[in-house]
Amino acid sequence: MKLDREFYAKDATILAKDLLGKILVHEIDGFKISGKIVETEAYMGAIDKGAHTYNWKRTPRVEAMYGKPGISYVYFIYGMYYCFNVVAKEKEIPQAVLIRALEPLEGREEMSKNRFKKPFNNLTKREVINLTNGPSKLCNALKIDKTNNGEDLCENKLYILEGENEKFDVEASKRIGIDYAEEAKDYPWRFYVKGNPYVSKFRKNK
């Protein structure tokens, strides 16, 4: 069952934890590609120096973050990579959750071709882990790009499903790659499934 609007209508720090174990799905080119969410980061908008919308910054690039909960915010970095986020809270309150890593489920053959241009069975063990163990890697594997920015995850072919309610431990750490964010770089707003091999980095607070 797809997650509904109400599920997303909460603070990003809460949503980031609640999304762990859920299933991200993209139906594209006649295929269904999916992965279990195992790592997330919360971005708390106007009060968060790590967020694109800190101090209520509003530009065409970040407009999706001001949308209703449960839409996608996809942005481009380094002139070559995409990152996929889920908008949280409520309309006009620009919070979002970055999906940092997935455990591949359905469509591994398509993921392999998207990422490495070769069949899944030809991947090395390292390449298997590298399919989706980072925010840009999972976008590449699932063919998520700028055309998905602002997409409604409650209605379209990019969506999130309930998981299997499995039991797992959640760990928290500082977020990654936001050293510019002054004190906000130390907020423990990165969450991941303890021990999952697809988590991008096992970095803990000092």
Side-chain angles (χ1 to χ4, degrees), residues 36-125:
K36 180 171 66 178
I37 298 171
V38 297
E39 182 184 357
T40 60
E41 284 181 347
Y43 287 88
M44 291 290 285
I47 63 169
D48 180 3
K49 291 180 181 178
H52 294 167
T53 51
Y54 172 63
N55 202 26
W56 301 104
K57 180 179 179 181
R58 193 162 189 166
T59 65
R61 182 196 188 210
V62 304
E63 188 61 32
M65 280 188 71
Y66 285 88
K68 57 190 175 183
I71 68 171
S72 65
Y73 169 45
V74 181
Y75 61 85
F76 200 47
I77 58 172
Y78 309 131
M80 59 192 305
Y81 300 122
Y82 293 100
C83 291
F84 168 74
N85 300 254
V86 178
V87 174
K89 193 63 175 176
E90 62 187 80
K91 192 171 182 180
E92 300 299 326
I93 305 296
Q95 298 181 13
V97 175
L98 172 66
I99 307 302
R100 279 199 57 89
L102 302 175
E103 178 182 324
L105 296 175
E106 193 170 357
R108 295 185 184 191
E109 193 67 32
E110 285 68 44
M111 291 186 200
S112 180
K113 291 175 182 177
N114 292 339
R115 284 276 290 125
F116 298 113
K117 314 302 180 188
K118 60 183 179 180
F120 182 80
N121 287 340
N122 290 351
L123 298 184
T124 65
K125 290 182 179 180

Side-chain angles (χ1 to χ4, degrees), residues 129-148:
I129 293 297
N130 275 311
L131 276 175
T132 51
N133 69 338
S136 61
K137 295 175 186 179
L138 71 88
C139 283
N140 189 209
L142 271 67
K143 280 196 169 182
I144 296 172
D145 60 25
K146 63 182 178 182
T147 64
N148 300 112

Side-chain angles (χ1 to χ4, degrees), residues 24 42 55 67 113 120 128 135 186-187:
L24 176 62
N55 202 26
K113 291 175 182 177
F120 182 80
V128 170
D186 294 323
Y187 297 164

